[in-house]
């Protein structure tokens, strides 16, 4: 996935415009930059790192250290035009039921490969739309994963929920299987915006979903919003923000709309001239950020907000925020096992992605093989660059003392120096910390890119603002 970010604050109109012109010069509106949910980004993965790497990495896991698990459900009943997720539309449950059978086979292959005793600290179901699964399939899938990788103590389980494709029985099944956090898709409540993105969803429907989740005992709720959508204006966004605030989510993800029609063909249905212009988009992001921080949420990283007591907020405050393929996380597990088509696994040794097309994934698993087909084996140099990028994306600063334990830390000196020069006013140094100033936060991905040894593969990313 290739989107996301938010804007920074400025004190008065004139200085805001000057800042904006200056940030434009630094690439705010033109740069095409990865979201750095991994380093190296998935575009650097290659077929030379394949299933053999996956098998060896799985076999090398230490059973004493819990893993995280991600399960991808690549189906939706509706295909929203704005969406860049890897998914396919279906009006029947037949392909979903077939897919579930294949996922069960993948789990059996994992059972044969993993060392005895590996446990799961966190599980996340994403898509697509996991809530396309009817209750019995929800139970079958959750039990099968837990059977192969039993939950560790303090196990947490989050699920992406489409409020238009969920009901009480599905939520009850998810709660019964141990769901602790729900992430609900909202995007925007304005009718004309929803029409232009092919996604109708009323406030009443969304509120009913939230109430059902809370009644089922799910106390941690995240809401996904998107700025930069067609026909979005400050007035409509203010209305959406008021409605979202009334739902009282614990976390909010505020993603910048990534308009990448060459990659996501259905976005061609969105007329370019309906999209907010660059500066409008920037101000929409700022408006939402100011509204959420003004009403008590803490800004987390480049695109999240959390209540002070939320675990992501606490992780950010204590310097334990991390980035993985779902975005920001407080997950402490060093390993992520990706299950299903296109899922990416992360090991100490590197990354491996399952075959992306559902048909290719099914073919691999039916042939009795794990589905990893392209990946990346990390070098020591990559680890250093990944650490610097993760610090910038999560903490807005590089801690030189923490980096110094890496044997090649000195090789970054020229990058630090160039950064301080080129981004003067937006990046400062104090003692052993190189920090992005609050004004410079809109440039975070562009700044992080300075530490990216693969930045030449940039054409397919979304804009940085
Ligand atoms: C995998 S989708 C799952 C959401 C769920 N199926 C639903 O519709 O409610 C997760 C989130 O990705 C975000 N997203 C998808 N396409 C995007 C795009 N082109 N730009 C920015 N965010 C996007 C949306 O906020 C969406 O809620
Ligand atoms: S936003 Fe959700 S429902 Fe819409 S196409 Fe994307 S994954 Fe499917």
């Amino acid at each position: 996935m290739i989107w996301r970010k938010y804007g920074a604050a400025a004190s008065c109109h004139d200085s805001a415009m000057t800042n904006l012109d200056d940030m434009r010069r630094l690439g705010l509106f033109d740069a095409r930059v990865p979201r750095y949910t991994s380093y190296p980004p998935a575009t650097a993965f290659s077929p030379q790192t394949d299933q053999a790497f996956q098998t060896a990495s799985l076999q090398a896991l230490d059973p004493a250290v819990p893993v995280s698990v991600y399960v991808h459900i690549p189906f939706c009943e509706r295909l929203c035009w704005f969406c860049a997720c890897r998914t396919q539309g279906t009006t029947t449950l037949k392909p979903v039921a077939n897919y579930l059978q294949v996922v069960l086979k993948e789990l059996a292959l994992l059972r044969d490969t993993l060392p005895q005793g590996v446990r799961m600290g966190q599980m996340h179901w994403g898509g697509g739309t996991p809530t396309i699964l009817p209750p019995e399939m929800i139970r079958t899938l959750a039990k099968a994963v837990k059977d192969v990788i039993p939950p560790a103590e303090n196990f947490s389980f989050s699920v992406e929920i489409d409020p238009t494709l969920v009901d009480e029985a599905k939520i009850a099944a998810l709660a019964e299987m141990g769901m602790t956090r729900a992430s609900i898709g909202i995007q925007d409540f304005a009718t004309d915006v929803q029409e232009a993105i092919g996604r109708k969803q009323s406030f009443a429907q969304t509120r009913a979903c939230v109430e059902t989740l809370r009644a089922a005992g799910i106390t941690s709720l995240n809401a996904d919003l998107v700025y930069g959508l067609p026909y979005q204006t400050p007035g409509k966004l203010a209305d959406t923000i008021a409605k979202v605030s009334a739902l009282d989510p614990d976390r909010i993800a505020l993603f910048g709309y990534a308009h990448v029609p060459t990659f996501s063909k259905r976005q061609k249905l969105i007329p370019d001239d309906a999209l907010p212009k660059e500066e409008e988009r920037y101000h929409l992001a700022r408006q939402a950020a100011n509204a959420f921080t003004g009403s008590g949420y803490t800004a987390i990283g480049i695109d999240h907000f959390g209540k002070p007591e939320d675990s992501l907020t606490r992780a950010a405050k204590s310097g334990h925020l991390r980035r993985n393929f779902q975005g920001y996380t407080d997950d402490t597990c060093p390993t992520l096992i990706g299950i299903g088509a296109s899922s990416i696994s992360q090991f100490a040794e590197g990354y491996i992605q399952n075959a992306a097309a559902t048909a290719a994934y099914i073919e691999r698993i039916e042939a009795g093989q794990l589905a990893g087909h392209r990946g990346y084996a990390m070098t020591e140099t990559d680890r250093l660059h990944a650490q610097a990028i993760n610090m910038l994306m999560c903490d807005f600063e590089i801690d030189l003392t923490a980096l110094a334990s890496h044997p090649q830390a000195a090789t970054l000196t020229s990058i630090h120096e160039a950064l301080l020069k080129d981004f003067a006013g937006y990046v400062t140094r104090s003692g052993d910390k190189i920090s992005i100033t609050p004004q410079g936060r809109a440039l975070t991905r562009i700044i992080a890119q300075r530490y990216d040894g693969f930045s030449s593969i940039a054409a397919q990313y979304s804009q940085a603002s």
Side-chain angles (χ1 to χ4, degrees), residues 131-207:
T131 50
I132 198 169
L133 299 173
E136 66 278 11
M137 288 193 207
I138 288 174
R139 290 192 185 91
T140 304
L141 177 57
K143 283 181 187 160
V145 181
K146 289 183 187 179
D147 194 36
V148 174
I149 315 176
E153 230 177 289
N154 300 323
F155 169 69
S156 68
F157 174 23
S158 54
V159 181
E160 288 172 18
I161 292 193
D162 177 351
T164 70
L165 189 56
V166 77
D167 56 26
E168 225 173 298
K170 290 181 183 183
I171 289 174
L174 287 167
E176 184 192 322
M177 291 299 111
M179 176 169 65
T180 48
R181 176 172 310 113
S183 180
I184 55 168
I186 294 179
Q187 329 312 344
D188 193 303
F189 280 121
T191 315
D192 59 344
V193 175
Q194 291 192 352
E195 271 166 14
I197 62 171
R199 181 188 170 97
K200 287 197 182 144
Q201 177 175 331
S202 71
F203 178 62
Q205 201 170 26
T206 311
R207 187 177 50 200

Side-chain angles (χ1 to χ4, degrees), residues 12-66:
C12 72
H13 181 73
D14 281 351
S15 69
M17 290 320 294
T18 316
N19 279 342
L20 217 47
D21 289 343
D22 201 33
M23 289 198 280
R24 178 193 300 281
R25 175 184 65 79
L26 291 165
L28 180 63
F29 298 125
D30 300 325
R32 295 291 179 265
V33 197
R35 295 174 50 239
Y36 294 118
T37 52
S38 70
Y39 182 81
T43 41
F45 295 2
S46 115
Q48 273 142 18
T49 304
D50 60 8
Q51 195 220 328
F53 177 83
Q54 182 178 22
T55 305
S57 304
L58 286 165
Q59 287 172 340
L61 287 177
D62 175 358
V65 185

Side-chain angles (χ1 to χ4, degrees), residues 353-364:
Q353 179 170 30
N354 277 354
T358 305
Y361 161 78
I362 292 175
E363 200 179 306
R364 294 290 290 261

Side-chain angles (χ1 to χ4, degrees), residues 422-434:
D422 298 346
F423 290 84
Y426 302 107
V427 178
T428 57
R429 176 161 184 179
S430 168
D432 68 343
K433 302 269 170 65
I434 295 178

Side-chain angles (χ1 to χ4, degrees), residues 283-366:
H283 289 296
L284 288 168
R286 271 189 48 196
Q287 174 191 349
N290 289 341
F292 291 128
T293 51
S295 61
Y297 286 91
T298 303
I300 303 169
I302 61 167
D303 53 16
H304 276 61
F305 300 86
K307 287 188 174 178
E309 66 278 13
D310 182 79
S311 60
L312 205 63
T313 312
R314 284 192 272 114
K317 283 201 172 129
S318 61
H320 293 102
L321 191 65
R322 289 175 49 203
R323 207 130 164 90
N324 71 8
F325 296 101
Q326 281 85 59
Y328 286 105
T329 177
D330 53 359
D331 187 359
T332 51
C333 304
T335 301
L336 175 67
I337 298 182
I339 295 171
S342 81
S343 290
I344 299 176
S345 298
Q346 177 172 8
F347 300 100
E349 296 83 355
Y351 302 99
I352 183 87
Q353 179 170 30
N354 277 354
T358 305
Y361 161 78
I362 292 175
E363 200 179 306
R364 294 290 290 261
I365 300 290
E366 292 291 10

Side-chain angles (χ1 to χ4, degrees), residues 76 78-80 82-83 85 87 127-129 162 187 199 266:
C76 296
R78 58 175 177 183
L79 281 181
C80 315
F82 81 102
C83 181
C85 298
T87 187
T129 301
D162 177 351
Q187 329 312 344
R199 181 188 170 97
R266 50 188 182 262

